[in-house]
Amino acid sequence: MAKAKENAPRHVNIQNRRAGYEYSFLVKYTAGMVLVGTEIKSLRVGNANITEGYCTFQHNGTLWLHGVTIAQYTEGTYNNHEPTRPRQLLLTKKEMRQLHAKSQEQGLTIIPTRMFISERGFAKVEIALARGKKLYDKREDLKAKDQKREMDRLR
């Protein structure tokens, strides 16, 4: 009989809730991340913060994630990583070209919306091409949310 994995990765789902309030998402992509050993260990424990994160393209066409904090691993030694260092994101060439072309438009930005561990144990980040909401858009969203809550309450 096959024994269940004892060291199976725990379900990690770190979300950027503020992003849905501040931005309207146009397109979402799932990207891999280039991490060092202590970063993935810390991420599997759930020690990450993506609320201040954003993505930029370098001159050589690679996509980098900035402003994301992955806390230092508690069991790490002098080899521990820097918590806020930029991390390279991995997408297909086609996705990279599409995202780069769209991100050049005025008012669009690339932000991380969710960070998780895939079924195969790889660290992934869901990024979105987003446009910032105006104040009246935010009010409309809150109004619609309140109305939906009232309708659900009446049922």
Side-chain angles (χ1 to χ4, degrees):
M1 253 187 169
K3 209 162 67 168
K5 272 189 175 178
E6 293 176 24
N7 294 346
R10 207 178 92 203
H11 181 68
V12 175
N13 188 15
I14 300 162
Q15 293 187 345
N16 188 354
R17 291 189 184 104
R18 196 175 97 191
Y21 179 72
E22 306 245 344
Y23 298 96
S24 58
F25 305 138
L26 305 177
V27 183
K28 287 188 178 182
Y29 296 95
T30 301
M33 288 190 296
V34 178
L35 300 175
V36 296
T38 55
E39 284 177 325
I40 188 66
K41 289 179 180 184
S42 183
L43 190 60
R44 283 189 177 134
V45 176
N47 294 334
N49 182 5
I50 62 172
T51 55
E52 299 296 322
Y54 63 96
C55 300
T56 59
F57 279 96
Q58 297 291 331
H59 63 279
N60 58 0
T62 57
L63 186 63
W64 289 80
L65 181 65
H66 300 274
V68 171
T69 303
I70 297 178
Q72 288 190 340
Y73 186 55
T74 55
E75 304 296 319
T77 59
Y78 61 91
N79 291 330
N80 230 334
H81 65 278
E82 181 184 337
T84 58
R85 75 175 185 88
R87 293 164 182 92
Q88 186 177 1
L89 297 180
L90 306 171
L91 290 167
T92 63
K93 285 183 181 180
K94 182 180 177 184
E95 290 174 332
M96 201 77 83
R97 277 195 304 269
Q98 289 173 348
L99 195 57
H100 187 60
K102 290 178 185 177
S103 68
Q104 298 301 314
E105 294 179 28
Q106 185 69 28
L108 296 181
T109 187
I110 305 168
I111 56 168
T113 57
R114 184 170 78 108
M115 193 179 288
F116 61 98
I117 304 291
S118 70
E119 291 179 8
R120 293 179 55 198
F122 296 120
K124 302 284 184 176
V125 62
E126 188 176 272
I127 57 175
L129 184 67
R131 174 173 279 124
K133 288 184 183 178
K134 304 284 186 214
L135 183 62
Y136 57 84
D137 291 335
K138 294 177 188 178
R139 288 180 184 157
E140 291 290 325
D141 285 349
L142 287 175
K143 221 181 275 185
K145 192 176 179 182
D146 287 341
Q147 288 174 350
K148 184 181 181 306
R149 190 179 302 128
E150 285 296 320
M151 292 299 291
D152 289 342
R153 193 177 291 149
L154 293 175
R155 288 185 198 176

